[in-house]
Amino acid sequence: MSKYDIIILGSGPGGYVTAIRASQLGFKTAIVEKESLGGVCLNWGCIPTKALLKSAQVFEYLKHAEDYGLKVEGADKDFDAVVKRSRGVAEGMSKGVQFLMKKNKIDVIEGFGKLKPGKKVDVDGTEYSADNIIIATGARSRELPSLPQDGKKIIGYREAMTLKEQPKKMIVVGSGAIGCEFGSFYNAMGTEVTIVEYMPNIVPVEDEEVSKQFERSLKKAGINIMTGSSVESVDTSGEGVVATVKTKKGEEKLEADIVLSAVGIKTNIEGIGLEDVGIITDKDKVIVNDWYQTNMPGYYAIGDVTPGPALAHVASAEGIICVEKLAGMHVEKLDYGNIPGCTYASPEIASVGMTEKQAKEAGYELKIGKFPFSASGKASAAGNKDGFVKVIFDAKYGEWLGCHMIGAGVTDMIAEAVLGRKLETTGHEVLKAVHPHPTMSEAVMEAVAAAYDEVIHL
């Protein structure tokens, strides 16, 4: 039986990052993967969706070339080629993880891993043992009873990435990041898209002003939005689908070629031996302490299977903290109040910290600043004037409570706010940090200036 210091179950952005950090710290490490290295994120999630969205963005540029004083004759798309490019990007990234495993001398064990008592893992009949086992099995598309996925007419994100032909009409159920990103992509490609959201606002976790601006932008792009609505049933007996949607005004029938279910995720904790080992779960999540230890010594869990936010960067951070603690390093527990969230639709959304509503409910007296991209020279030059940056500060001590952005490229800008909050930066420190001009990122400084009545360009 092979013996390791650490065995990790799952090679997504939680698992493979954890494996590399463990190896760097001198642990003899193995990783178990039943499918492709990189997990959902690299193969079916974060990375290939961004490739699809980039193709959509380029297509939009072609269609609006005249806005930039250019002429493009007969701009058209090849849907198969767009999908093929996305798969190529994913395959390249997965091969990159293979290289990193070899470089860091990590053993990759292919197959389905099942936990055993006594700190053992069974992989398709072969047993391996370790001093520490880390569960990083991630999650998959959640199914609603009213929306059983058949992979053809009612699909999840995997099928949405590799459709053989582009649908003429699509219903997207759920307006979180996954639903809005696919809705944005298919709309740009020419599909008639309807997004159905149960909550009163789309992207319901975002600041209300961002949600409202996003809804306006999506409607302007031609996407139909139905908030406060739910899909009660879907009839797939005909050529396409007929969805029965319950709205505030009563029931409506919607016809489409396909329904994309994007109503959240379901953790991959079935059949991996949690019960055999005696590991406690609650509400579909593995319960862990601040250092990701389960109730059973030697067994740890990180990423989507634990109660924190189901985000790739969170899984990576948790895994690094977990193995650094095992190595005896002095580590800080993860600050879940300072995790950035990003939606890569068109326009993009990025946010960190409290929304205005949350800050008011927490009892803070606020200084709020907003800077619209319509006043940004770089945004005007780029033809991307939709959106704004909004900052929220505690009026008493100047603490940066939240930052919310919507617009082109804002997912690449939010790190300034994350770092600023981590370093306990005040509004005046942001103001006195010279921002380059003309850039989209100077809108952060301008929004802070607006909060403190020092704004120049409004």
Side-chain angles (χ1 to χ4, degrees):
M1 185 193 297
S2 298
K3 175 80 194 295
Y4 294 92
D5 296 321
I6 293 176
I7 293 176
I8 298 155
L9 232 59
S11 75
Y16 88 77
V17 168
T18 305
I20 292 169
R21 187 68 186 118
S23 180
Q24 287 172 347
L25 292 165
F27 291 112
K28 186 186 177 190
T29 307
I31 197 160
V32 181
E33 176 53 59
K34 68 181 175 69
E35 204 173 321
S36 304
L37 281 172
V40 167
C41 177
L42 261 68
N43 295 284
W44 298 101
C46 334
I47 306 301
T49 51
K50 304 311 157 281
L52 292 175
L53 287 161
K54 186 64 188 180
S55 293
Q57 183 190 45
V58 172
F59 189 42
E60 283 290 305
Y61 275 138
L62 290 173
K63 287 190 287 186
H64 296 100
E66 286 190 12
D67 296 349
Y68 298 86
L70 304 170
K71 284 191 177 168
V72 176
E73 296 298 327
D76 205 357
K77 63 184 184 298
D78 180 340
F79 187 75
D80 283 346
V82 167
V83 170
K84 197 174 173 185
R85 175 182 179 271
S86 167
R87 299 315 310 149
V89 169
E91 282 158 27
M93 293 297 291
S94 190
K95 281 178 183 158
V97 177
Q98 286 173 30
F99 164 75
L100 290 172
M101 295 296 104
K102 281 181 187 161
K103 180 190 167 191
N104 290 281
K105 299 179 176 60
I106 296 157
D107 289 351
V108 177
I109 303 164
E110 293 180 9
F112 187 86
K114 189 170 181 183
L115 305 171
K116 295 281 194 184
K119 294 189 275 193
K120 294 184 180 72
V121 177
D122 177 288
V123 185
D124 299 335
T126 305
E127 273 198 359
Y128 303 85
S129 72
D131 294 329
N132 302 285
I133 294 166
I134 301 173
I135 304 157
T137 48
R140 61 187 186 273
S141 179
R142 183 162 73 97
E143 288 194 50
L144 292 177
S146 60
L147 278 175
Q149 293 176 25
D150 59 13
K152 294 185 179 80
K153 291 183 178 179
I154 303 176
I155 62 171
Y157 58 78
R158 278 196 180 217
E159 294 86 5
M161 250 175 258
T162 53
L163 287 179
K164 293 284 180 276
E165 51 188 69
Q166 184 186 341
K168 289 186 177 68
K169 286 186 180 182
M170 175 184 267
I171 298 165
V172 177
V173 185
S175 74
I178 293 173
C180 287
E181 285 176 18
F182 278 116
S184 195
F185 165 70
Y186 277 101
N187 170 67
M189 288 284 110
T191 298
E192 188 183 312
V193 174
T194 299
I195 295 176
V196 180
E197 171 55 54
Y198 179 72
M199 300 294 278
N201 297 317
I202 59 168
V203 285
V205 299
E206 300 295 343
D207 187 89
E208 218 166 282
E209 283 191 272
V210 169
S211 293
K212 284 174 178 166
Q213 171 65 51
F214 192 50
E215 184 169 337
R216 284 194 296 272
S217 295
L218 293 190
K219 283 179 174 173
K220 188 171 146 191
I223 295 176
N224 306 311
I225 308 282
M226 297 175 76
T227 49
S229 304
S230 59
V231 175
E232 299 296 298
S233 63
V234 179
D235 181 358
T236 59
S237 59
E239 201 169 305
V241 295
V242 180
T244 302
V245 182
K246 187 178 172 185
T247 72
K248 287 167 273 191
K249 295 173 185 170
E251 284 193 346
E252 275 186 47
K253 301 279 187 191
L254 293 184
E255 290 183 16
D257 302 307
I258 215 158
V259 173
L260 168 59
S261 178
V263 289
I265 56 166
K266 162 82 182 75
T267 57
N268 296 320
I269 58 173
E270 309 94 333
I272 62 168
L274 296 178
E275 303 84 0
D276 301 344
V277 178
I279 291 171
I280 292 172
T281 62
D282 181 47
K283 294 176 185 161
D284 203 38
K285 302 276 187 178
V286 178
I287 301 305
V288 291
N289 67 10
D290 288 341
W291 315 115
Y292 309 102
Q293 185 172 0
T294 69
N295 62 301
M296 300 302 289
Y299 293 86
Y300 299 80
I302 61 161
D304 295 2
V305 297
T306 65
L311 298 166
H313 42 283
V314 171
S316 299
E318 289 174 343
I320 290 168
I321 289 170
C322 179
V323 292
E324 287 183 347
K325 184 73 173 174
L326 284 173
M329 293 174 67
H330 173 72
V331 290
E332 288 179 25
K333 63 182 183 180
L334 190 59
D335 177 4
Y336 288 99
N338 198 31
I339 303 292
C342 296
T343 300
Y344 299 83
S346 183
E348 291 183 353
I349 297 171
S351 59
V352 67
M354 293 182 179
T355 63
E356 183 180 341
K357 187 180 176 190
Q358 287 166 342
K360 281 177 177 168
E361 284 171 355
Y364 288 102
E365 189 186 329
L366 304 178
K367 281 188 180 292
I368 294 171
K370 262 176 78 177
F371 188 78
F373 286 121
S374 57
S376 158
K378 179 70 182 288
S380 288
N384 293 316
K385 295 199 288 183
D386 275 1
F388 57 84
V389 173
K390 176 178 179 178
V391 293
I392 302 163
F393 287 91
D394 167 31
K396 191 174 182 184
Y397 297 111
E399 183 188 353
W400 198 348
L401 299 174
C403 185
H404 307 273
M405 310 176 177
I406 178 168
V410 294
T411 56
D412 293 317
M413 289 165 49
I414 194 65
E416 176 179 351
V418 180
L419 182 62
R421 282 165 45 76
K422 170 76 175 164
L423 297 175
E424 298 181 352
T425 297
T426 65
H428 282 104
E429 287 173 323
V430 179
L431 276 180
K432 299 308 173 191
V434 178
H435 287 61
H437 175 79
T439 58
M440 296 291 277
S441 61
E442 68 185 323
V444 177
M445 179 265 290
E446 295 278 16
V448 175
Y452 285 88
D453 298 322
E454 294 180 28
V455 68
I456 302 290
H457 291 102
L458 276 184

